[in-house]
């Protein structure tokens, strides 16, 4: 008998989707274009920078055929600035995500992970949707390509704790019928916080249902007591 799966995506599944993010590589060897399901990749000509999917960049990195150029937001100075925004400038909300690219007809139909938000040209002070899992993957597979990997690891841990604390504090407004803004929250953060938030919402729903049931029972009891104590006078008053 198969065990029931939790609702939503699991962390390994979110990390798998993150591997579709585009990153910038610096090839060490020439490589012709590869025909993939999403289209052909650009040919690699050292030392020209080339955008590739993360999964392919990791493969070339393991084969020592390319180096991965980390996105600007993964630099220690950028993470320090984002952490300052999260803790001092904007204490209640999350830092703004990267802006959506404008389209020809004025509509934005592109969404993560198909935005170029993790390449070498990405904004330096905006965390993309897959910032947490992409940073952990690069720290594990390509620490020599990062600037100050120990500082990056420490700052990412601090950012993760600060943002998760904001998510936990945000659910307090749900008791009063408010809403929680998740603008700027990453994919892994949503996956990790889903169980906690859904548990709180389910608990509030049960509490609200019990309060409603108690109110109805109290009103029914008051009506019954009023009819029994009122007698004919109560009937006359109703007429």
């Amino acid at each position: 008998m198969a065990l029931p799966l939790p609702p939503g995506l699991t962390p390994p599944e979110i990390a798998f989707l993150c591997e579709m993010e585009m990153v910038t590589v610096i090839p060490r060897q020439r490589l012709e274009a590869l025909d993939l399901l999403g289209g052909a990749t650009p040919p690699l000509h050292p030392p020209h920078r080339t955008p590739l999917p993360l999964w392919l960049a990791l493969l070339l990195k393991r084969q020592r055929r390319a180096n991965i150029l980390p996105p600007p937001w993964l630099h220690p100075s950028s993470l320090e600035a984002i952490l300052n925004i999260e803790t001092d400038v904007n204490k209640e909300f999350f830092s703004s995500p990267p802006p959506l690219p404008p389209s020809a007809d004025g509509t934005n139909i592109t969404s993560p992970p198909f935005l170029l938000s993790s390449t070498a040209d990405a904004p330096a002070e905006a965390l993309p949707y897959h910032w947490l899992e992409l940073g952990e993957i690069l720290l594990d597979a390509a620490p020599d390509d990062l600037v100050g990997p120990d500082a990056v690891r420490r700052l990412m841990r601090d950012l993760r704790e600060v943002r998760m604390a904001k998510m936990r504090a945000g659910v307090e407004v749900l008791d009063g019928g408010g809403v929680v803004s998740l603008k700027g929250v990453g994919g892994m953060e949503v996956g990790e916080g889903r169980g906690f938030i859904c548990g709180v919402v389910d608990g509030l729903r049960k509490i609200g249902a019990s309060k409603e049931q108690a109110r109805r029972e109290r009103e029914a009891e008051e009506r019954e007591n009023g009819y029994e104590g009122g007698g004919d006078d109560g009937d006359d008053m109703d007429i």
Side-chain angles (χ1 to χ4, degrees):
M1 180 179 177
L3 297 176
L5 295 176
L9 297 175
T10 62
E13 292 171 338
I14 298 174
F16 175 78
L17 293 177
C18 172
E19 294 186 359
M20 292 191 296
E21 286 275 357
M22 300 294 291
V23 296
T24 302
V25 302
I26 302 177
R28 293 182 175 182
Q29 300 177 2
R30 293 177 61 90
L31 181 66
E32 298 300 327
L34 301 177
D35 292 328
L36 304 177
L37 291 177
T41 64
L44 302 182
H45 299 289
H48 299 288
R49 300 178 178 181
T50 307
L52 290 178
L54 177 60
W55 66 268
L56 181 56
L58 294 174
L59 177 61
L60 296 177
K61 175 64 179 179
R62 287 193 293 266
Q63 296 176 350
R64 298 184 179 180
R65 303 174 69 180
N67 290 336
I68 300 177
L69 192 63
W73 55 263
L74 202 55
H75 194 277
S77 61
S78 299
L79 293 175
E80 193 84 44
I82 296 174
L83 181 60
N84 179 66
I85 294 174
E86 295 276 357
T87 55
D88 298 332
V89 179
N90 200 351
K91 298 182 179 180
E92 297 182 0
F93 302 99
F94 300 91
S95 57
S96 301
L100 295 176
S103 57
D105 56 356
T107 60
N108 292 314
I109 60 176
T110 307
S111 62
F114 305 106
L115 295 175
L116 299 179
S117 55
S118 297
T119 60
D121 299 326
E125 296 186 0
L127 295 177
Y129 185 68
H130 288 294
W131 74 273
L132 181 57
E133 50 271 40
L134 190 141
E136 292 180 346
I137 290 174
L138 292 183
L139 283 171
D140 181 62
D144 55 319
D145 290 337
L146 301 180
V147 178
D150 294 335
V152 169
R153 185 177 288 105
R154 174 181 56 83
L155 290 169
M156 287 187 59
R157 182 178 64 250
D158 294 343
L159 269 172
R160 183 178 188 177
E161 293 176 355
V162 169
R163 291 164 67 90
M164 289 302 295
K166 288 185 178 182
M167 290 186 64
R168 289 191 295 268
V171 299
E172 296 179 358
V173 303
L174 296 177
D175 191 16
V179 296
V180 180
S181 175
L182 297 181
K183 181 181 179 180
V185 179
M188 188 64 72
E189 294 171 304
V190 172
E192 292 177 345
R194 178 182 287 108
F196 171 75
I197 294 178
C198 291
V200 171
V201 172
D202 187 57
L204 293 175
R205 186 183 299 112
K206 292 179 180 179
I207 293 175
S210 63
K211 288 182 178 180
E212 180 67 17
Q213 181 65 24
R215 184 185 64 82
R216 293 179 179 179
E217 292 177 355
R218 183 173 62 254
E219 290 179 352
E221 183 178 355
E222 291 175 354
R223 287 196 298 268
E224 292 178 359
N225 292 337
Y227 293 149
E228 292 176 0
D232 295 336
D233 294 338
D235 294 337
D236 294 336
M237 292 177 63
D238 291 340
I239 294 173

